[in-house]
Amino acid sequence: MDRDVVETVSLRWLRRLVIAVFLLITVFPFYYMLVLSVRPIERLLLDPGALVVGFGELTVATYAEVLKATDDGGQGFLTFIRNSGLVAVAATVLTLLVAIPGAYAVARLRFFGRRQVDFLFLAVYLFPSIVIAIPLFVVFTRAGLRGSLFGLVLVYISQTLPVSVYMLKNYFETIPVSLEESAAIDGAGRLGIIRRVSLPLAMPSIMAVALYDFMIAWNEFLFALLFLVDKPNRWTVSLGLSLLADGVEVPKTVLMAGSVVLTLPIVILFFASERLLTEGLTSGAEKG
Amino acid sequence: MTTTAPDTGRSPTGERPAPPKRRPLTLRRRESRAGLALVAPTLLVTIAVIGIPIVWTVVLAFQRVRLATLRKTGLFGEFTMDNIDRVLHTPGFAETLWVTLLYSIGGTVGSIVLGLVAALVVRRPFRGRTLVRASMLLPYVAPVVAVTFVWQVMLDPQLGIVNAWGQRLLGWDAPVPFLSQESTALATVIVFEAWRYFPFAFLFLLARLQAVPGELEEAARVDGATPTQRFRHILLPQLLPVIALLGVLRFIMTFNKFDDVYLLTGGAAGTEVVSVRVYEFLTARTDIGAAAAQAVVLAVVLIVFVLIYLRFFGRRVS
């Protein structure tokens, strides 16, 4: 046998094996989260190695405890879900409102300072969010914005804006200029062109950016921790869950139920739009 | 829109005296104005929420500010080198920096290697490929609080599945407290980092791999190159620019990372990275000046590393 055949055959098997290992390490933690969230804590202590839920031990009491309002002896996650949803949707919509015109301008219009805009994005990338967090912490404390969801939305917009503008800009650049020129000849003004020609064509990219923004805002933890920690009724799901773990005597199974509540919306959203998102995120990556 | 007409906006004004009534704007100037108007909101938000805070952090780093005295301090109070001095001489500073560096390099290299292997194995179509590809992105899109908790529970000495199976199948004598003993905590955190961020490298590398023209590999195959040789001499050179870029991006992001370490270990057991330390200064000690100084030191160190990196790999990145 020559080397080529040996390599080809062994790599074929190796490849299958590696795919299986990757599937295991990426999916297993989520499966484990789900399994634990429906097992009673006593059963878990008896047999921590079990991978399936016995039919008799299945319970949803963990979810009831997580979701019920604090007045009813639960952890009040329904309120957190509402807060997180509100913040994430507001941040997404506002980011798009700001990013779309900005990206269009950078992609299409010549104006003073157009090239320098890239520096801003680099700065945002380069500077740790903890550096930005300190003065924001100070300002928000002074302005009384600490503990307000609006302040949080503002921070999330700034965090997602650079990547959003970058992704949209790349997409706008792929739309043929001639389409816009013919609209201009037909008498459309600048805003008319953007609204009637560019926006509809960029819809896939806009959807991808919207999903990205929503995920970032829903998952975010540091700023929520810094700004909202004193106001339990304003907590986001991420924050509520992390503080639940600090609390006394909360069983791990309840924590896992909370984790499922936090993860599920994102995973559903992600699988519903996976193709859109991966293509949107890496378009322009080929340039390297 | 790009017009090819030469810039006629300015030359006429120099020749004749300014006309009494306003001339209509040229197309070029109107374009410029529209551009500025459209980009203004983006600039405003970025400058207000990112730009000013960065400058302000630097200012705070040289002031004596505590949360309690916050209302009394002005923006331009008296300046002092105390904070920087204190930060540099507080015990554990050098160790924190070292830990951050190990963590960043380990996390960066780990995530890129995993991402490269993942991209290579799902490169060619097979049944269920879309699903496999989507699953591989899960660690990256899932909320950080949830995934750190799952890892904590999985690695828990009493009820974690890793220790249960390790004792049962691998014959471990005693449960290993992965996240709370010095000898394993940092390594565990680095493995977590590689696990969570390999999808990022995977996405970029896969996109690049799919842009490699098929003829290149085909030609090498005809010339008798084996699969590993084709990887070494055809694919790898094509991927190097992306790998270099990923290296710098991941390094920066890992160096700045707060959530992962804070949630996994809280900075205990020899895993205190710089951003966790800044957070401690800010909240536990409410010493804003010291927190800002620490953050500035963090940013400066980061910039130095990035410059060194660009000096070595600059040509590939650009």
Side-chain angles (χ1 to χ4, degrees), chain B residues 55-118:
Chain B
V55 176
W56 199 347
T57 303
V58 178
V59 174
L60 283 172
F62 296 98
Q63 286 182 320
R64 192 188 305 271
V65 196
R66 293 182 160 270
L67 197 59
T69 61
L70 192 58
R71 291 186 183 281
K72 281 177 252 159
T73 350
L75 183 49
F76 299 103
E78 45 193 292
F79 288 92
T80 162
M81 288 298 285
D82 268 13
N83 294 324
I84 303 279
D85 196 51
R86 200 142 34 99
V87 163
L88 294 180
H89 293 106
T90 305
F93 170 74
E95 202 206 325
T96 304
L97 212 56
W98 177 239
V99 168
T100 312
L101 195 61
L102 283 182
Y103 167 71
S104 308
I105 293 177
T108 303
V109 172
S111 69
I112 294 179
V113 168
L114 272 185
L116 179 61
V117 174

Side-chain angles (χ1 to χ4, degrees), chain B residues 162-176:
Chain B
V162 174
N163 277 307
W165 283 43
Q167 282 170 299
R168 196 187 298 170
L169 301 177
L170 304 175
W172 296 352
D173 297 333
V176 184

Side-chain angles (χ1 to χ4, degrees), chain B:
Chain B
M1 279 209 289
T2 43
T3 48
T4 46
D7 188 355
T8 51
R10 240 171 252 168
S11 49
T13 42
E15 287 156 23
R16 53 187 144 141
K21 64 176 180 185
R22 276 181 62 192
R23 289 175 304 112
L25 292 170
T26 60
L27 206 57
R28 180 64 198 268
R29 298 216 22 210
R30 251 191 294 174
E31 183 179 323
S32 178
R33 286 197 178 184
L36 280 176
L38 289 177
V39 89
T42 305
L43 285 184
L44 271 180
V45 173
T46 319
I47 290 171
V49 191
I50 311 265
I52 296 177
I54 288 176
V55 176
W56 199 347
T57 303
V58 178
V59 174
L60 283 172
F62 296 98
Q63 286 182 320
R64 192 188 305 271
V65 196
R66 293 182 160 270
L67 197 59
T69 61
L70 192 58
R71 291 186 183 281
K72 281 177 252 159
T73 350
L75 183 49
F76 299 103
E78 45 193 292
F79 288 92
T80 162
M81 288 298 285
D82 268 13
N83 294 324
I84 303 279
D85 196 51
R86 200 142 34 99
V87 163
L88 294 180
H89 293 106
T90 305
F93 170 74
E95 202 206 325
T96 304
L97 212 56
W98 177 239
V99 168
T100 312
L101 195 61
L102 283 182
Y103 167 71
S104 308
I105 293 177
T108 303
V109 172
S111 69
I112 294 179
V113 168
L114 272 185
L116 179 61
V117 174
L120 286 171
V121 293
V122 301
R123 193 174 149 224
R124 302 208 186 289
F126 56 88
R127 206 146 39 90
R129 176 167 174 258
T130 318
L131 199 65
V132 170
R133 192 178 64 168
S135 310
M136 282 194 184
L137 300 179
L138 272 179
Y140 186 58
V141 294
V144 60
V145 179
V147 289
T148 48
F149 277 7
V150 176
W151 272 63
Q152 272 181 346
V153 175
M154 283 199 302
L155 299 173
D156 192 284
Q158 270 92 49
L159 33 82
I161 190 157
V162 174
N163 277 307
W165 283 43
Q167 282 170 299
R168 196 187 298 170
L169 301 177
L170 304 175
W172 296 352
D173 297 333
V176 184
F178 286 96
L179 288 167
S180 50
Q181 67 179 15
E182 295 253 345
S183 53
T184 52
L186 184 58
T188 311
V189 170
I190 290 174
V191 170
F192 173 83
E193 195 67 17
W195 174 80
R196 181 156 147 76
Y197 293 100
F198 89 83
F200 183 84
F202 165 71
L203 273 184
F204 277 72
L205 289 168
L206 189 64
R208 186 67 192 85
L209 267 180
Q210 277 163 349
V212 175
E215 300 93 66
L216 271 183
E217 264 192 284
E218 197 54 35
R221 210 168 65 88
V222 172
D223 287 345
T226 65
T228 48
Q229 286 170 334
R230 293 204 296 269
F231 170 73
R232 170 69 189 79
H233 297 286
I234 307 283
L235 291 182
L236 199 58
Q238 296 268 335
L239 291 178
L240 273 183
V242 185
I243 293 179
L245 178 71
L246 280 170
V248 71
L249 287 184
R250 285 281 7 127
F251 182 83
I252 293 173
M253 290 193 232
T254 317
F255 202 89
N256 295 337
K257 206 82 207 142
F258 167 79
D259 321 15
D260 305 40
V261 175
Y262 178 79
L263 288 165
L264 274 177
T265 66
T271 59
E272 192 185 54
V273 294
V274 179
S275 49
V276 171
R277 201 176 161 90
V278 175
Y279 176 81
E280 291 299 325
F281 274 119
L282 187 61
T283 56
R285 306 195 195 177
T286 64
D287 189 343
I288 294 174
Q294 181 79 65
V296 167
V297 173
L298 167 71
V300 169
V301 171
L302 180 62
I303 290 170
V304 169
F305 278 128
V306 170
L307 286 181
I308 294 174
Y309 183 91
L310 289 180
R311 182 142 179 80
F312 282 108
F313 298 98
R315 263 164 290 141
R316 285 187 185 146
V317 174
S318 60

Side-chain angles (χ1 to χ4, degrees), chain A residues 97-117:
Chain A
L97 278 182
V98 174
I100 291 174
Y104 180 85
V106 178
R108 277 286 190 268
L109 305 174
R110 288 167 302 172
F111 57 90
F112 176 73
R114 176 185 173 188
R115 298 238 175 93
Q116 280 71 37
V117 172

